[in-house]
Each structure stands twice: as C-alpha cells, then as structure tokens.
Amino acid sequence: MPDRVIVEVDEDLSELIPGFLTHKRADVATIVDANARRDYAEIGRIAHRIKGEGTSYGFESMTEMGRSLEQAAAIRDDGAVAALARQLLNYMDRVEIVFQPSRD
C-alpha cells in the first residue's frame, strides 16, 4: 500500500470532509475532461477553487497542487495539467484524516 498522508482536520469539519473529497474528485475528472478539450480557462477556474478550498479544509498539499494546476493552465501546459491531476488523485487516495478537537 502506498504511503499514507496524514492530514489533521478540525473535528467541526468531520461531517463535511467526505463530501468535500467527493467534490474534489469530481473536480479532477472535470479537469481531465477540460484538458482533453484544451479548455485552460475552465482548468484555471477549478484549480483556483481547489487552491482556496484546500487550506480552508486543512489540506495544505491540495492547496499547493491547486496552485500548480492554476499555473500549468495559465501557460497551457497540458502535460503538466495531466500529471498534476494524477498527483491530486493519488494524494486523495493516500490521505488519512485525523480529526483534532475544536479550538473554541
């Protein structure tokens, strides 16, 4: 089994995380489809959203991948987009979430 990636997430988000990851997987599928059509504007929009949402949910690595995807779309690098989409899926396959107590 590939190395697990531990992500610490605030327990207040525990009910939201499964849906969040499902939506991010759908986003990657849309990126792959948009890349096949060379729709870099759509890739850029989705990547920008991934970049912002990753940190909001505690997934810093996802934010970095979103940033890289956004940059690849800006320079119209379909090879980099494809590689980063695979990297993002691989990351989500390996992620193990540890919920941390709220800091309220």
Side-chain angles (χ1 to χ4, degrees), residues 15 19 24 30-31 51-52 60 68 71 73 82 86 88-89 98:
E15 292 182 20
K24 294 310 103 193
T30 301
I31 287 170
K51 181 177 75 174
E60 299 297 329
S68 295
Q71 292 168 348
R86 285 190 303 273
L88 186 52
L89 283 177
V98 176

Side-chain angles (χ1 to χ4, degrees), residues 4-23:
R4 305 303 289 167
V5 176
I6 305 297
V7 176
E8 295 181 359
V9 177
D10 189 305
E11 69 184 354
D12 288 345
L13 299 175
S14 63
E15 292 182 20
L16 301 175
I17 295 301
F20 170 73
L21 292 173
T22 297
H23 285 109

Side-chain angles (χ1 to χ4, degrees), residues 1-9 17-18 20-22 24-25 54 57-63 65 87-99:
M1 172 173 254
D3 293 336
R4 305 303 289 167
V5 176
I6 305 297
V7 176
E8 295 181 359
V9 177
I17 295 301
F20 170 73
L21 292 173
T22 297
K24 294 310 103 193
R25 286 182 181 282
Y57 283 86
F59 295 85
E60 299 297 329
S61 293
M62 191 177 288
T63 291
M65 287 179 254
Q87 182 182 352
L88 186 52
L89 283 177
N90 179 272
Y91 169 79
M92 287 188 283
D93 286 344
R94 297 180 310 127
V95 77
E96 182 175 320
I97 299 163
V98 176
F99 292 105

